[in-house]
Amino acid sequence: MVRDTDDEDGAPTYNDSFSPLRRSRSIDFEEDNPIASKSRRVTVEDVTDEEDGRRYFEPYPEAGWTLREGQTSFERHQQYKESEGEDKWAPFGNEYESRFSEEWGLAEWLVKSLGQTKTDEFLKLPITLNRTKPSFHNNRSFLQRVDALPHGPGWNCKKVSVKGNRTDENGQSLHEDLELWTRDPVECIKELIGNPLFKEYMVYAPSRAYEDEAGTKRIIDDMWTADWWWDKQKELPEGATIAPIILASDKTMLSQFRGDKSAWPVYLSIGNIAKEKRRQTSARATILIGYLPATKLDCFTSDARSLAGYRLFHHCLSLLLEPLIAAGQDGVDMVCTDSFIRRVYPILAAYVADFPEQCLVACCKENRCPKCLVAADERGDPLNSLIRDPELTKEILERRRSGQHPVEFDEYGLRPVYKPFWANLPHTDIFLAFTPDLLHQLHKGVFKDHLVKWCLDIVGETEIDARFKAIPDYPGLRHFKKGISSVKQWTGTEHKEMQRVFMALITGAVPSRVVIVTRALLDFCYYARLHTHTSESLDGLENALTIFHAHKDVLQELAVREHFNIPKLHQLSHYVQSIKLFGAADGFNTELPERLHIDFAKEAYRASNKRDYEEQMALWLQRQEAVFCRTTYLEWVAERAARRTEQESEYDSDSDAENEGFDVVPVVSQDIIHVLAKTAPHPRRSVQHLETMHGTVDFLPALTLFLQKHLPHNHSIVPGPQDRFDTFRQCLRVRATPEVLPSSSGRKPGSPNRFDMALVSSDGVQASKALLTLNAAVRVAQVRVLFRLPRQFGVYPRPLAYIEWFTPFREPDESSGLRLISRSTRHLQRNSAVIHVDEIIRPCHLIPKMGQLVNPMWTSANVYELASEFYLNPFIDLETFCMSTTST
């Protein structure tokens, strides 16, 4: 239940909730004063977190104050249309039965799916002219209507003239005239912070989250729960609202098979929006704010071209971000998603880029760290080097520009870029702003380019490939049927798929100290990927790196590595600090900008005529944005109308309810929800079918024991071969499907049997989230069949599963940390049982103990039957990894 309370004594309060979002949106006004009470707090009581129980929030006391009421862009647009007497579909056709008009649906499809030539051809088709009869008859009239739609901040083109050091045949210096395409970043921030689409995901003030009421166990996930926002708030006036700017830039190729066309997009988002929303490309929570010139600078000689490119980059970004200087110093009144006006200070907080671009932004050489002052030859050592100081860096660069030769210039590995774009941005520390790059630093860098290569050098490609081929199936797991040596094109997805099985795969094939090194790096990868961090997870992240450095020398002893002076490896030492400052690393991954290149660069380029394409790209993007804005506006109008109707209905029926004025928040159940198909896909399966196709060799004895225990009053009914059972394919992603043979015609391929492994409550109690840990109450079992009891056994609503038990978990292996298990037997036969389906906790994955050489007879399809010992795979997903790290 949520209620507003006035905190009179000013003491810190801890608010029990599953999210600070609800608290941030709860604003009341005093009747005689439009300015909200400065000591307003929101107390949330008895609310259970969706994942791990309650959370307690300590809000920053003097942040996010409202000034007065305002109107969002959607509200202003709706008011304008009503005042002008326009239909909500204008300038397109009349309203249709559904929520969109026919003509608007057609217009939306044309903009998203067809180019201008194809649109013209479509509109001139006889069936379009004679039957569809749209109000626009050609592409020109259609685009006039699209251009009349509201859209985001407009585009501007700035000319940048670059004078090179090369001369022409007349002795004149060569120069290039370049185009810088920009949008006002302050207007883009207004668009984001006031977009009603993000109302449920917007926060205006920082909070500290805790697991316990005493506030001793910190939780960090979104930016507002981390330290940067909290600390930066102290530098601003009381009640200020910070918009933490997240910038990303990355040069990308536009042409695929010919030509060398490229673009350099710059993207912007704000940390006020929850990272779960920012990561959705379809939500458009990250905005394209500019195209930097992507030029070869042929007017410079080869030895001067690199430095000229550095200076051009900073000059263009200075022009692009110039509006942020005054806005960050003085603040700007902005209408927020809740229709209140706040004084917003947009401050550059995080910069998402790969390593070369980080060095470009930091004005340092690529053999140095862009964040700290570690020496060029010491990046492989576990050192705590000083973080670069922006003020000192500016001073050194200024001294170098004035003709001096400060020794720090070379010691710090700086480049002579005398006017970095970040020099005048208020409250900005550009070196702290560089966030972890999970894609290039971890998945592609440390894991694929280094760890996998080291293990391949030790074991050999043939053996590694054979081990990948023998990995058992798991829902959603990619099976490398031909191994990994034949894979030519790697993406971040393939890297993560390899990580899911790599630990158990190389255990036994490499020396134990290499196993320790592998476990440490994989632990680091998985801790870094967590969506939510605690003190324990950050300790685990730091400890994993410490273990790696303590044992890495074995790789030099085996002659697979000469040194560890690896830039991407050194970057791992900054992860803990970055997470504490800005939140979990998944909110700043470079995978998002690379995905945005498809929508904001590559698709836009394909829509152009490939000549003078930047202007055409900007116009195409503006039209796409206009259609998206109109679509979301229409959804907002429909939702608002539905909500108004619902509120009127509730007022009529519940006007005297006792809890009027309070928001009731449902308590999330700790039970694990088991969902089966409403209708069994395989009805009336015989016992013989279950025994032969599902391998349930002890089905009748196991079911008899179950009935004696749970239905003792039905002792006269004994299951027999004549009974038939409705069976199901899966539950909780645990599959129990027999082999399907190919059709006689060969048109339908067959599929192997899939009897998945699962973690099961060994005490016979219903599965709950409290059991999401590896202890004596949890065991592994293979699920052979999911079924319901037939009617002759009475009404029994709980579905059942026939399983085969594995032995309890042994102590973790000293080197790999993996837990070894084997099949449980009774009287020399597999130990089977019938249990309730709701005793299944979740799916799990086993990998056979392969030893030094894998058995050549093992395949993905038969290894569960042929192998005798198995490792529980803790890296199959993040939830299993967390279970393994908290096991008791």
Side-chain angles (χ1 to χ4, degrees):
M1 188 164 59
V2 182
R3 65 170 180 264
D4 285 347
T5 59
D6 290 325
D7 182 18
E8 297 179 356
D9 57 9
T13 60
Y14 295 94
N15 297 328
D16 175 10
S17 170
F18 72 92
S19 171
L21 296 171
R22 177 176 296 277
R23 176 190 55 75
S24 302
R25 295 195 308 272
S26 300
I27 302 292
D28 281 352
F29 285 86
E30 298 177 0
E31 292 183 0
D32 58 346
N33 189 351
I35 300 179
S37 172
K38 299 178 182 180
S39 61
R40 183 75 63 185
R41 300 288 187 275
V42 179
T43 302
V44 187
E45 299 178 351
D46 297 331
V47 182
T48 306
D49 180 54
E50 292 181 353
E51 295 180 358
D52 50 2
R54 295 172 179 169
R55 287 190 183 185
Y56 301 86
F57 289 92
E58 176 191 0
Y60 191 91
E62 309 293 349
W65 292 352
T66 59
L67 303 177
R68 56 191 179 276
E69 291 188 79
Q71 286 184 313
T72 65
S73 58
F74 284 3
E75 291 169 333
R76 292 195 303 272
H77 187 64
Q78 185 182 43
Q79 186 180 51
Y80 168 78
K81 280 191 166 295
E82 291 174 352
S83 65
E84 296 293 321
E86 288 187 2
D87 184 83
K88 64 180 180 180
W89 306 105
F92 293 94
N94 296 321
E95 191 168 352
Y96 183 55
E97 295 176 357
S98 64
R99 60 193 178 108
F100 294 115
S101 72
E102 283 185 334
E103 188 162 293
W104 168 248
L106 174 62
E108 187 178 20
W109 177 79
L110 289 174
V111 169
K112 291 182 177 180
S113 304
L114 298 184
Q116 297 190 36
T117 302
K118 294 295 183 182
T119 299
D120 235 0
E121 293 175 0
F122 175 82
L123 294 176
K124 292 177 181 179
L125 290 174
I127 192 172
T128 306
L129 294 172
N130 299 327
R131 298 187 62 179
T132 306
K133 297 180 180 179
S135 59
F136 42 87
H137 305 298
N138 54 41
N139 181 66
R140 183 172 179 272
S141 61
F142 167 65
L143 291 181
Q144 286 176 343
R145 285 170 169 77
V146 173
D147 292 337
L149 295 173
H151 54 77
W155 285 88
N156 296 298
C157 179
K158 298 181 179 180
K159 300 294 183 180
V160 178
S161 182
V162 179
K163 182 179 180 181
N165 64 348
R166 291 179 59 192
T167 58
D168 59 16
E169 60 274 8
N170 298 322
Q172 300 294 320
S173 296
L174 296 176
H175 72 280
E176 293 185 30
D177 292 326
L178 307 174
E179 291 184 350
L180 169 65
W181 286 87
T182 68
R183 304 169 87 183
D184 189 330
V186 175
E187 294 300 316
C188 291
I189 293 169
K190 287 182 179 180
E191 185 78 12
L192 288 172
I193 206 168
N195 191 338
L197 184 67
F198 305 135
K199 184 176 182 180
E200 302 299 314
Y201 303 91
M202 189 72 68
V203 166
Y204 307 106
S207 295
R208 284 177 174 163
Y210 302 93
E211 290 183 286
D212 61 322
E213 192 170 4
T216 60
K217 297 180 180 180
R218 184 83 177 273
I219 299 174
I220 296 176
D221 46 23
D222 267 296
M223 185 179 276
W224 57 77
T225 66
D227 293 336
W228 179 90
W229 195 339
W230 186 282
D231 296 337
K232 196 62 61 176
Q233 199 76 48
K234 301 173 184 177
E235 302 176 12
L236 299 178
E238 284 189 354
T241 300
I242 294 178
I245 298 173
I246 304 169
L247 282 184
S249 62
D250 183 37
K251 192 175 182 179
T252 183
M253 293 298 298
L254 297 176
S255 51
Q256 291 182 329
F257 303 110
R258 61 180 180 178
D260 56 354
K261 303 297 184 182
S262 57
W264 205 325
V266 181
Y267 304 105
L268 178 145
S269 188
I270 53 176
N272 310 79
I273 304 172
K275 61 186 175 71
E276 64 176 291
K277 198 66 176 177
R278 289 203 315 268
R279 291 200 308 263
Q280 298 174 9
T281 56
S282 60
R284 294 181 179 257
T286 299
I287 293 181
L288 176 69
I289 64 169
Y291 286 121
L292 303 181
T295 176
K296 294 181 179 180
L297 293 176
D298 291 329
C299 58
F300 287 90
T301 58
S302 58
D303 59 333
R305 196 168 294 150
S306 175
L307 178 58
Y310 266 66
R311 290 173 173 173
L312 176 63
F313 173 85
H314 282 269
H315 177 69
C316 291
L317 266 185
S318 297
L319 296 175
L320 175 61
L321 303 179
E322 184 179 7
L324 294 177
I325 298 175
Q329 289 173 340
D330 305 325
V332 178
D333 288 356
M334 297 187 185
V335 181
C336 300
T337 60
D338 55 4
S339 300
F340 295 128
I341 297 175
R342 293 175 173 84
R343 191 71 170 177
V344 177
Y345 292 76
I347 300 173
L348 177 58
Y351 202 111
V352 179
D354 58 18
F355 180 77
E357 194 124 345
Q358 288 182 4
C359 294
L360 174 62
V361 172
C363 306
C364 72
K365 299 176 181 177
E366 291 188 16
N367 67 343
R368 298 302 182 97
C369 174
K371 290 181 68 72
C372 73
L373 298 174
V374 64
D377 58 351
E378 294 180 347
R379 288 175 295 175
D381 300 326
L383 304 174
N384 291 321
S385 302
L386 291 175
I387 298 296
R388 294 179 182 268
D389 185 338
E391 295 302 321
L392 178 59
T393 301
K394 287 189 290 185
E395 178 187 338
I396 295 170
L397 292 173
E398 178 60 28
R399 287 163 58 193
R400 178 62 181 256
R401 189 185 68 83
S402 62
Q404 302 179 37
H405 298 280
V407 294
E408 298 93 341
F409 183 85
D410 292 323
E411 288 180 358
Y412 295 175
L414 296 176
R415 287 181 177 266
V417 179
Y418 302 127
K419 296 181 179 180
F421 74 86
W422 41 264
N424 296 320
L425 293 178
H427 310 290
T428 294
D429 187 331
I430 194 64
F431 305 117
L432 287 180
F434 298 128
T435 53
D437 180 3
L438 298 181
L439 175 62
H440 297 99
Q441 292 170 359
L442 278 186
H443 304 320
K444 183 181 182 301
V446 171
F447 176 72
K448 175 60 175 61
D449 293 344
H450 297 292
L451 179 61
V452 173
K453 183 180 181 300
W454 299 336
C455 292
L456 281 170
D457 290 344
I458 296 172
V459 181
E461 287 186 355
T462 303
E463 178 63 20
I464 290 290
D465 285 345
R467 288 170 175 258
F468 270 105
K469 294 174 186 177
I471 295 296
D473 187 38
Y474 183 84
L477 174 67
R478 170 170 176 176
H479 180 219
F480 293 90
K481 298 178 181 179
K482 298 180 181 180
I484 61 171
S485 61
S486 61
V487 179
K488 303 302 181 184
Q489 186 69 31
W490 290 95
T491 67
T493 301
E494 277 84 23
H495 300 148
K496 286 181 278 190
E497 290 297 303
M498 288 175 61
Q499 290 173 20
R500 298 175 73 182
V501 300
F502 198 72
M503 184 69 252
L505 181 140
I506 61 99
T507 299
V510 297
S512 59
R513 289 185 63 196
V514 178
V515 172
I516 294 174
V517 166
T518 303
R519 176 73 196 224
L521 289 181
L522 284 173
D523 277 348
F524 191 97
C525 290
Y526 273 68
Y527 276 121
R529 288 171 55 190
L530 292 180
H531 307 312
T532 299
H533 281 280
T534 63
S535 302
E536 290 78 10
S537 69
L538 292 176
D539 289 343
L541 191 66
E542 208 155 21
N543 186 53
L545 192 58
T546 301
I547 293 174
F548 166 78
H549 283 297
H551 294 87
K552 67 185 179 184
D553 293 345
V554 66
L555 299 169
Q556 291 176 311
E557 296 170 8
L558 295 172
V560 296
R561 186 71 196 179
E562 294 181 0
H563 64 84
F564 295 96
N565 194 29
I566 304 171
K568 292 175 181 177
L569 182 60
H570 168 75
Q571 294 301 310
L572 307 190
S573 63
H574 297 301
Y575 273 43
V576 171
Q577 181 193 39
S578 291
I579 292 170
K580 287 180 177 179
L581 283 174
F582 301 112
D586 66 312
F588 306 95
N589 200 354
T590 53
E591 285 182 283
L592 177 60
E594 294 205 358
R595 172 60 183 84
L596 292 175
H597 286 341
I598 298 175
D599 296 330
F600 294 136
K602 300 180 188 296
E603 291 293 337
Y605 175 74
R606 294 189 190 108
S608 72
N609 64 9
K610 314 301 186 294
R611 296 185 299 273
D612 298 326
Y613 52 85
E614 291 92 346
E615 182 177 4
Q616 299 172 57
M617 290 167 64
L619 182 57
W620 183 85
L621 288 169
Q622 180 172 291
R623 287 166 175 164
Q624 296 289 323
E625 186 178 68
V627 170
F628 177 80
C629 290
R630 171 51 62 93
T631 300
T632 54
Y633 167 75
L634 294 173
E635 292 175 348
W636 174 80
V637 170
E639 181 182 348
R640 201 179 193 193
R643 193 186 310 119
R644 188 181 298 114
T645 302
E646 182 180 347
Q647 289 174 349
E648 291 173 355
S649 175
E650 289 178 354
Y651 178 79
D652 292 339
S653 58
D654 300 322
S655 58
D656 297 326
E658 294 182 1
N659 63 344
E660 184 176 359
F662 295 92
D663 294 330
V664 179
V665 182
V667 175
V668 180
S669 171
Q670 289 297 294
D671 292 337
I672 296 173
I673 307 301
H674 298 73
V675 179
L676 287 171
K678 292 183 178 180
T679 304
H682 304 294
R684 297 183 55 76
R685 295 297 188 187
S686 66
V687 173
Q688 181 182 4
H689 174 85
L690 299 182
E691 291 177 345
T692 56
M693 299 302 294
H694 288 260
T696 58
V697 293
D698 290 326
F699 181 79
L700 290 178
L703 181 57
T704 301
L705 288 175
F706 176 87
L707 294 176
Q708 290 174 355
K709 179 179 179 181
H710 295 278
L711 294 174
H713 56 281
N714 284 354
H715 58 83
S716 59
I717 303 177
V718 178
Q722 74 282 355
D723 292 318
R724 293 181 174 270
F725 301 85
D726 295 345
T727 64
F728 300 85
R729 293 193 182 100
Q730 65 174 352
C731 180
L732 285 180
R733 295 190 302 121
V734 177
R735 301 165 299 181
T737 57
E739 179 183 8
V740 177
L741 298 175
S743 63
S744 56
S745 63
R747 293 182 178 179
K748 293 184 179 180
S751 61
N753 61 55
R754 293 186 175 92
F755 303 121
D756 288 338
M757 302 294 171
L759 295 176
V760 180
S761 169
S762 60
D763 297 335
V765 299
Q766 185 172 348
S768 68
K769 294 180 180 179
L771 292 173
L772 290 178
T773 183
L774 302 180
N775 53 35
V778 177
R779 284 174 65 180
V780 174
Q782 186 174 25
V783 179
R784 289 283 182 177
V785 64
L786 303 166
F787 66 98
R788 287 189 184 277
L789 285 177
R791 292 184 178 274
Q792 62 264 31
F793 293 94
V795 178
Y796 199 79
R798 296 170 71 181
L800 307 177
Y802 176 94
I803 64 168
E804 293 174 350
W805 287 110
F806 281 71
T807 58
F809 296 113
R810 304 176 198 173
E811 288 298 314
D813 178 74
E814 291 185 2
S815 301
S816 66
L818 301 178
R819 294 171 177 267
L820 199 63
I821 59 175
S822 57
R823 288 192 180 273
S824 175
T825 58
R826 181 190 300 166
H827 305 304
L828 301 180
Q829 290 187 332
R830 292 182 180 180
N831 183 9
S832 58
V834 170
I835 65 169
H836 295 107
V837 165
D838 56 25
E839 294 170 30
I840 298 175
I841 302 170
R842 69 181 319 277
C844 68
H845 188 231
L846 302 183
I847 296 179
K849 183 179 180 182
M850 298 181 184
Q852 190 169 2
L853 294 174
V854 65
N855 188 330
M857 302 298 294
W858 290 355
T859 67
S860 178
N862 66 20
V863 69
Y864 277 153
E865 303 301 320
L866 299 182
S868 58
E869 291 184 303
F870 301 85
Y871 292 116
L872 176 69
N873 181 10
F875 296 102
I876 193 63
D877 54 39
L878 285 175
E879 187 171 10
T880 305
F881 176 75
C882 292
M883 290 179 64
S884 68
T885 59
T886 58
S887 60
T888 57

